[in-house]
């Protein structure tokens, strides 16, 4: 099997295929893992911004590759230009001149672009930060004990679960990165043993009550490797498909997670914390006693709404209208619609709202008081975790290695090979291609949607509390008709995504215009964009934006395979990131494609623990017992070694 690009769905498929005994070649024209799912250091993100603003074609090193197409064969050209990112605009709200000559701390010397080898087998791995769990499949550490999972509605609404003690996260600047986009790899921990909010956090400093420390642009540049900035902003539902897959496949050993500590709401121009669990509801000072009882009664109904179909069936109303019929106060309706169900006020049906509310409630209590987990070092670590599993079981990875075309056998109507940038033909039985690699002629009948994204670096949280180390999710309702709600995720430095005394803020919504036009009104509501010293008191109370970038990303998640023109049956197309908060779409897509290719194989069976592997006595090196057949394809040893190299 050959995979082109290393996004999340492709990485999951590659890991599943390698685990089931298939030979996998994973090639990517980029010099980093993850595609549009990647995470970057600050300097890496600046390079990515420059590359997408220039929007130049990749050089064609083999201009006569069409001569390699034989009789009874046809070529399906692939695109050499990534058109999934548009309208990239970045802004610095500090003196950029002060950063001239400032070098990034701990950065490695840059490799020459043209002198470096254009392609080579690369295993996924980077320097691991110390934790209780093992850092590689060869580690002798044992997994942490599984956390008890509440099953009843009573537990889901308020039981305080037990939590495993977390490992100590390493500083993201300690290890070297193999490429600008492959963020520092996390220390590992079982997905069932997500750290308790606060236990991995640094203790509040003595100056916490004082004014925010002034952060300059030169400091951001100098500490750039402490940033791991995601291109796509998502959280993991604690009972979502991705968490289940990480646990089932044992890929969770490669990652460590932090519980999102609070759910926020934006109402009447103010940011408020939303009570989620039973304890939060009854401890809340925002709600009256009557509202608390009303809220608990409604949430209990949502947990078993299927048992009461007469309450919602036969109604064509939206979920917002349904909430009004339940005699809930306006504040409760706002909390449920925008912060718990997180569905559209005008488009989501009653059933969709009830399903979303139930999902939220069922995920409560598994790891903490919110339903969400966030991977340390960023969302971009998740594709790398699956790439690492694939490499351990024989997968070969080639970065900076582009593919020119698919080779179609006209007799059978199936794809038989690919031709790379050097004119080499690589044969395979199945081909996985990311949507961005397909040419305009193949995508003539495809209608794409767009996602508006913004990433901000700020000097304080949108809602200051005693603890500075908060991971928050906030849904801002549409500010005007025709606009979509904006999902805001705010990350603190203990997530290993930003430097100390700063916050990393992600904003996401479906596009109606350019990203800046869609999101800047929300940014202005929540943050201070003024660079002048004299500002109004109201603006001074808001967090100050130090740096920002806006961009539009293609959303190909709803495109059916038959929409692509002329693709053979053994070529499968994976979509890029979707605008949803979770990762269910990518997991479902990966499993569907894998089952079409190998219907009798188990999808991502558990990888054995190192201590459970028994080797034959005559084996000199255990790594050589993998699936490789030649000296050129022995990724097992490189995968094991790389965890200590990067």
């Amino acid at each position: 099997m050959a995979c082109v690009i290393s996004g999340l769905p492709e990485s999951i498929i590659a890991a599943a295929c390698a685990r089931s005994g298939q030979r996998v070649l994973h090639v990517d024209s980029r010099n980093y893992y993850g595609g549009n799912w990647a995470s970057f250091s600050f300097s890496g993100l600046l390079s990515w911004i420059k590359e997408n603003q220039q929007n130049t074609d990749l050089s064609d090193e083999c201009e006569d590759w069409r001569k390699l197409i034989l009789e009874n064969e046809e070529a399906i050209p692939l695109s050499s230009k990534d058109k999934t990112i548009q309208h990239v605009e970045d802004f610095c709200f500090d003196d950029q001149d002060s950063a001239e000559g400032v070098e990034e701390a701990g950065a490695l010397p840059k490799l020459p672009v043209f002198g470096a080898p254009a392609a080579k087998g690369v295993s996924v791995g980077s320097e691991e930060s110390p934790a209780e769990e093992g850092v590689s499949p060869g580690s002798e550490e044992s997994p942490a004990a599984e956390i008890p999972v509440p099953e009843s509605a009573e537990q889901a609404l308020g039981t305080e679960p037990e939590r495993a003690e977390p490992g100590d996260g390493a500083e993201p600047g300690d290890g070297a990165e193999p490429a600008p986009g492959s963020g520092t790899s996390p220390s590992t921990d079982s997905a069932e043993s997500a750290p308790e909010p606060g236990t991995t956090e640094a203790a509040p400093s003595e100056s916490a009550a004082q004014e925010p420390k002034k952060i300059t642009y030169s400091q951001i540049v100098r500490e750039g490797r402490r940033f791991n900035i995601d291109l796509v902003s998502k959280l993991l539902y604690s009972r979502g498909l991705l968490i289940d897959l990480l646990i089932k496949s044992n890929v969770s050993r490669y990652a460590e997670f932090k519980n999102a500590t609070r759910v926020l709401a934006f109402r009447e121009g103010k940011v408020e914390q939303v009570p989620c669990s039973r304890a939060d509801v009854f401890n809340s000072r925002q709600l009256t006693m009557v509202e608390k009882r009303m809220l608990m009664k409604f949430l209990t109904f949502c947990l078993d709404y299927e048992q009461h179909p007469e309450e919602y069936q036969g109604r064509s109303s939206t979920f917002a209208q349904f909430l009004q019929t339940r005699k809930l106060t306006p504040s409760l309706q706002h909390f449920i619609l925008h912060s718990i169900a997180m569905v559209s006020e005008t488009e989501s049906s009653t059933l969709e709202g009830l399903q979303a509310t139930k999902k939220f409630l069922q995920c409560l209590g598994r790891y903490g008081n919110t339903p969400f987990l966030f991977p340390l070092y960023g969302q971009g670590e998740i594709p790398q975790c699956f790439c690492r599993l694939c490499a351990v079981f024989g997968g070969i990875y080639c970065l900076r290695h582009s593919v020119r075309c698919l080779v179609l056998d006209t007799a059978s109507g199936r794809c038989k090979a690919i031709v790379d940038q050097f004119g080499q033909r690589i044969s395979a039985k199945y081909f996985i291609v990311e949507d961005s690699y397909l040419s305009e002629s193949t995508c003539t009948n495809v209608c794409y949607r767009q996602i508006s994204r913004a990433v901000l670096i700020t000097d304080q949280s949108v809602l200051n509390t005693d603890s500075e180390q908060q991971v928050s999710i906030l849904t801002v309702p549409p500010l005007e008709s025709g606009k979509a709600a904006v999902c805001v995720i705010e990350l603190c430095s203990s997530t290993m995504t930003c430097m100390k005394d700063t916050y990393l803020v992600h904003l996401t919504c479906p596009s109606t215009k350019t990203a800046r036009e869609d999101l800047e009104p929300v940014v202005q509501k929540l943050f201070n964009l003024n660079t002048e010293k004299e500002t109004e008191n109201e603006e001074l109370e808001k967090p100050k934006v130090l740096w920002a970038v806006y961009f539009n990303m293609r959303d190909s998640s709803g495109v059916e395979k038959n929409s692509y023109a002329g693709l053979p049956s053994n070529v499968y197309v994976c979509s890029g990131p979707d605008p949803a908060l979770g990762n269910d779409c990518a997991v479902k897509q990966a499993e569907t494609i894998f089952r079409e290719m190998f219907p009798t194989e188990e999808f991502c069976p558990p990888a054995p623990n190192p201590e459970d592997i028994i080797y034959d006595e005559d084996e000199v090196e255990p790594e050589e017992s993998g699936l490789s057949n030649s000296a050129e394809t022995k990724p097992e040893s490189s995968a094991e070694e790389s965890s200590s190299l990067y």
Side-chain angles (χ1 to χ4, degrees):
M1 185 195 79
C3 280
V4 182
I5 205 177
S6 51
L8 180 57
E10 300 92 330
S11 300
I12 295 174
I13 296 170
C17 291
R19 181 67 185 89
S20 63
Q22 307 298 323
R23 299 179 62 189
V24 177
L25 171 65
H26 209 141
V27 296
D28 197 332
S29 63
R30 299 175 174 93
N31 63 345
Y32 54 86
Y33 292 97
N36 284 345
W37 301 80
S39 299
F40 292 93
S41 66
F42 187 70
S43 62
L45 184 63
L46 294 180
S47 299
W48 178 87
I49 290 171
K50 184 177 180 180
E51 176 184 334
N52 283 278
Q53 287 175 337
Q54 292 175 342
N55 208 16
T56 55
D57 283 329
L58 298 174
S59 60
D60 196 342
E61 298 182 32
C62 181
E63 298 180 357
D64 57 348
W65 57 265
R66 293 182 182 274
K67 298 178 181 178
L68 302 172
I69 307 303
L70 308 177
E71 292 185 10
N72 300 322
E73 292 180 349
E74 291 182 7
I76 303 177
L78 297 180
S79 176
S80 61
K81 186 176 183 179
D82 184 3
K83 299 180 180 179
T84 60
I85 305 296
Q86 296 178 336
H87 309 300
V88 182
E89 301 177 75
D90 61 311
F91 302 91
C92 179
F93 297 90
D94 190 49
D95 183 12
Q96 282 186 291
D97 294 337
S98 63
E100 289 188 7
V102 176
E103 295 185 0
E104 189 177 68
L108 292 176
K110 294 182 180 180
L111 292 175
V113 176
F114 299 102
K120 62 178 181 179
V122 181
S123 61
V124 184
S126 57
E127 179 172 337
E128 311 290 342
S129 58
E132 290 183 348
E133 300 300 319
V135 297
S136 69
S139 172
E140 296 180 358
E141 301 285 348
S142 60
E146 182 171 321
I147 299 173
V149 177
E151 299 296 340
S152 66
E154 187 80 13
Q155 288 174 301
L157 286 172
T159 303
E160 288 292 326
E162 297 179 21
R163 299 181 181 92
E165 290 295 324
D168 298 325
E171 295 294 339
D174 291 341
E177 294 176 311
S182 55
T184 308
S185 177
S187 60
T188 55
D189 198 355
S190 171
E192 286 284 9
S193 58
E196 175 185 2
T199 55
T200 56
E201 302 163 2
S205 63
E206 297 178 358
S207 60
Q210 300 177 3
E211 294 183 2
K213 182 180 178 181
K214 179 174 174 57
I215 303 296
T216 63
Y217 182 71
S218 60
Q219 287 178 282
I220 294 175
V221 172
R222 185 180 298 108
E223 300 294 329
R225 299 189 70 251
R226 298 194 182 275
F227 288 88
N228 284 288
I229 303 172
D230 294 321
L231 293 183
V232 59
S233 177
K234 290 181 177 291
L235 294 175
L236 283 70
Y237 281 92
S238 63
R239 294 185 188 276
L241 296 181
L242 183 54
I243 286 291
D244 292 342
L245 181 62
L246 288 168
I247 296 169
K248 172 192 173 185
S249 61
N250 267 350
V251 172
S252 57
R253 74 179 74 181
Y254 300 129
E256 188 175 5
F257 300 88
K258 183 177 177 64
N259 183 231
T261 54
R262 58 185 184 178
V263 178
L264 304 178
F266 184 75
R267 182 171 175 266
E268 297 178 352
K270 296 181 180 180
V271 177
E272 303 174 347
Q273 184 164 350
V274 177
C276 297
S277 67
R278 179 184 293 270
D280 289 343
V281 169
F282 286 105
N283 289 330
S284 173
R285 297 181 180 179
Q286 304 163 248
L287 307 177
T288 65
M289 286 303 299
V290 174
E291 285 180 318
K292 292 176 181 179
R293 294 191 186 99
M294 294 170 65
L295 179 59
M296 289 305 304
K297 181 179 179 181
F298 180 77
L299 296 182
T300 303
F301 160 73
C302 290
L303 278 170
D304 59 353
Y305 72 89
E306 296 99 332
Q307 307 301 321
H308 308 281
E310 70 281 357
E311 297 283 345
Y312 61 91
Q313 285 187 352
R315 304 185 184 187
S316 58
S317 62
T318 63
F319 186 55
Q321 294 169 335
F322 174 75
L323 293 177
Q324 294 174 358
T325 66
R326 304 295 295 189
K327 299 180 180 180
L328 298 168
T329 63
S331 60
L332 292 181
Q333 292 179 37
H334 183 96
F335 287 161
I336 294 169
L337 183 65
H338 297 294
S339 300
I340 296 179
M342 291 182 282
V343 295
S344 171
E345 186 173 353
T346 57
E347 299 178 1
S348 297
S349 66
T350 299
L351 183 58
E352 290 172 341
L354 292 173
Q355 291 172 341
T357 303
K358 181 177 180 179
K359 180 179 181 179
F360 182 99
L361 296 173
Q362 286 180 325
C363 293
L364 285 172
R366 190 175 196 184
Y367 300 117
N369 284 339
T370 72
F372 307 111
L373 295 174
F374 180 79
L376 297 190
Y377 302 91
Q379 173 75 24
E381 289 300 318
I382 301 300
Q384 292 196 63
C385 288
F386 285 99
C387 289
R388 193 173 302 172
L389 178 66
C390 176
V392 168
F393 283 91
I396 300 175
Y397 282 80
C398 298
L399 299 182
R400 300 182 293 276
H401 197 122
S402 59
V403 177
R404 296 296 179 232
C405 71
L406 303 172
V407 180
L408 175 67
D409 181 21
T410 55
S412 63
R414 292 173 63 87
C415 183
K416 61 190 298 187
I418 58 176
V419 177
D420 69 6
Q421 65 194 62
F422 302 112
Q424 296 174 318
R425 288 172 61 107
I426 303 172
S427 300
K429 189 175 181 181
Y430 299 102
F431 301 85
I432 314 296
V433 183
E434 206 269 349
D435 172 271
S436 64
Y437 273 68
L438 299 177
S439 64
E440 291 184 1
S441 59
T442 304
C443 302
T444 302
N445 301 323
V446 178
C447 182
Y448 292 111
R449 296 170 295 187
Q450 296 288 325
I451 304 170
S452 291
R453 289 276 293 116
V455 182
L456 317 176
I457 299 176
T458 66
D459 65 344
Q460 57 180 314
S461 174
V462 291
L463 182 61
N464 286 318
T465 59
D466 293 338
S467 174
E468 296 178 353
Q469 300 299 316
Q470 299 279 3
V471 178
S472 310
I473 175 171
L474 165 66
T475 301
V476 179
L479 300 180
E480 57 183 82
S481 60
K483 294 282 188 177
V486 176
C487 178
V488 181
I489 296 177
E490 183 184 72
L491 305 172
C492 59
S493 59
S494 65
T495 62
M496 307 303 180
T497 58
C498 57
M499 62 179 282
K500 187 180 178 182
D501 298 319
T502 64
Y503 289 84
L504 193 64
V505 183
H506 293 271
L507 295 91
T508 308
C509 74
S511 298
T512 57
K513 298 180 180 179
T514 67
R516 185 182 177 188
E517 291 174 312
D518 285 338
L519 298 174
E520 194 170 51
V522 175
V523 173
Q524 291 172 342
K525 286 282 186 181
L526 296 173
F527 303 97
N528 176 13
L529 296 176
N530 294 324
T531 56
E532 299 178 1
K533 294 183 179 180
E534 295 183 1
T535 56
E536 298 180 3
N537 291 334
E538 182 181 350
E539 289 295 313
L540 289 174
E541 295 176 358
K542 297 179 181 179
K544 181 182 177 182
V545 177
L546 307 173
W547 182 87
V549 62
Y550 298 89
F551 60 91
N552 290 91
M553 178 182 290
R554 178 190 293 176
D555 174 18
S556 56
S557 58
V559 179
E560 299 292 336
K561 183 180 178 181
N562 55 17
S563 301
Y564 299 104
L567 283 185
S569 59
N570 63 331
V571 175
Y572 299 90
V573 181
C574 287
S575 66
D578 63 301
L581 179 62
N583 297 273
D584 286 2
C585 179
V587 177
K588 288 178 181 178
Q589 185 178 57
E591 184 171 4
T592 299
I593 292 176
F594 177 83
R595 296 198 184 282
E596 287 183 13
M597 294 189 296
F598 309 106
T600 61
E601 296 288 343
E602 182 181 359
F603 178 64
C604 278
N609 294 317
E611 61 270 17
D612 297 332
I613 300 176
I614 301 175
Y615 300 105
D616 295 337
E617 294 181 358
D618 57 347
E619 290 189 23
V620 178
E621 293 183 6
E623 292 83 1
E624 294 182 357
S625 63
L627 304 173
S628 58
N629 295 328
S630 68
E632 296 180 359
T633 58
K634 292 199 297 184
E636 297 89 341
S637 58
S638 62
E640 295 291 333
E641 293 168 1
S642 62
S643 64
S644 61
L645 291 175
Y646 299 117

